[in-house]
Amino acid sequence: MPTRVLIADAEEVVRVGLRAILATGTEFEVVADTGDGKEAVERALADGPDVCVMGTTLGGLDGLAVVRALTGTGCRVVVLTSSTSDDDFCAAMRGGAHAFLAKSLSPPLLRQGIRLAASGAYALSPSAAESLRGLLNGCRHLPDDGCRHLPAEPTHPLSPSELQVAGLVAAGRTDQEIADRRGVSVSAVKKTVSQCRRKVAAKNRVELARWAWLNGLETPDPGPAAALPPAAPPPRPDHAPLAAAVAGGALAG
């Protein structure tokens, strides 16, 4: 069954472009598109799409207000924007968005971001991931009560292998990418991620990534040389792999 998508953006050229991108293959079905925020909410409630891909500027109702209005409806929101503002990023994610993606993303990465959001994951384009990292790094310098919602200190020390996996999670690597990098099975990675989460009292991968960032694990030891992929030239900023983390405390991976 295809993922049902609602498109909401003030610019018609963007809506037409998104339709064309999502029409490739049978994975996605666009149920409607609109440039009006109020209509976007009405169509989401009437048509029951899985995902709403939307810009932050809409007629009738502000885009961030649409994000908040769709929270709890079962429709996951992917914010597609040219904004690099930390305030816009924080407002969107606090409002309930599952993805914050740059309009400069390539079509394959855009589809990947929508796919992640539809599955219950969070997806960030590289520029948004840098914003998050900067905000979390700033949190390191707050008073003791300034980060009350951070995961607790580990109940048991993490092993070197667990520290490395936690660092790779913080770098936005998927279980498959971690498995390939470390030369182990995906099931072994899932087990290690679960152990890490249990030890640091993290409800999900997002909290595990945050714990790793705040403890300086964002540049982990790459592991055995034989397990590393061939070197490649650095990608353009918004054509790098998306940073993603699975949401929901009940999910082990």
Side-chain angles (χ1 to χ4, degrees):
M1 179 179 296
T3 297
R4 305 176 75 246
V5 180
L6 168 66
I7 297 171
D9 195 282
E11 299 180 32
E12 183 177 3
V13 67
V14 173
R15 300 197 302 272
V16 172
L18 285 172
R19 273 189 174 274
I21 289 170
L22 298 180
T24 303
T26 59
E27 184 178 5
F28 302 103
E29 174 192 354
V30 177
V31 297
D33 71 74
T34 179
D36 184 84
K38 184 177 179 181
E39 184 180 354
V41 175
E42 292 172 349
R43 295 304 297 265
L45 295 176
D47 298 334
D50 302 303
V51 177
C52 176
V53 181
M54 55 168 290
T56 53
T57 303
L58 291 167
L61 188 64
D62 177 75
L64 295 177
V66 174
V67 174
R68 294 190 292 271
L70 295 182
T71 299
T73 65
C75 177
R76 296 186 171 103
V77 176
V78 172
V79 175
L80 188 63
T81 179
S82 56
S83 172
T84 57
S85 165
D86 286 350
D87 289 341
D88 286 346
F89 165 68
C90 289
M93 301 308 288
R94 189 181 298 119
H98 268 73
F100 195 87
L101 307 179
K103 285 186 174 179
S104 58
L105 279 179
S106 65
L109 287 181
L110 174 60
R111 288 193 292 268
Q112 180 187 356
I114 297 172
R115 187 181 305 121
L116 287 166
S119 71
Y122 290 103
L124 305 177
S125 59
S127 56
E130 284 303 313
S131 292
L132 177 60
R133 183 176 306 211
L135 292 169
L136 291 176
N137 283 340
C139 194
R140 293 178 181 176
H141 307 294
L142 293 177
D144 289 342
D145 62 350
C147 293
R148 294 174 183 172
H149 302 295
L150 293 178
E153 288 299 309
T155 55
H156 300 284
L158 273 68
S159 69
S161 175
E162 290 169 341
L163 289 171
Q164 186 184 68
V165 168
L168 289 168
V169 169
R173 304 302 182 190
T174 65
D175 288 340
Q176 184 64 63
E177 289 171 333
I178 296 173
D180 292 343
R181 188 159 190 164
R182 291 179 51 79
V184 298
S185 67
V186 172
S187 60
V189 172
K190 288 181 179 292
K191 181 178 179 181
T192 302
V193 170
S194 295
Q195 291 170 338
C196 292
R197 284 176 46 195
R198 176 175 51 80
K199 287 185 176 182
V200 304
K203 296 178 181 178
N204 49 52
R205 285 175 78 108
V206 175
E207 289 194 355
L208 176 59
R210 182 171 56 176
W211 179 87
W213 275 327
L214 292 174
N215 284 275
L217 301 179
E218 61 267 33
T219 309
D221 175 7
L228 294 175
R236 291 174 57 189
D238 279 315
H239 291 263
L242 298 176
V246 176
L251 297 179

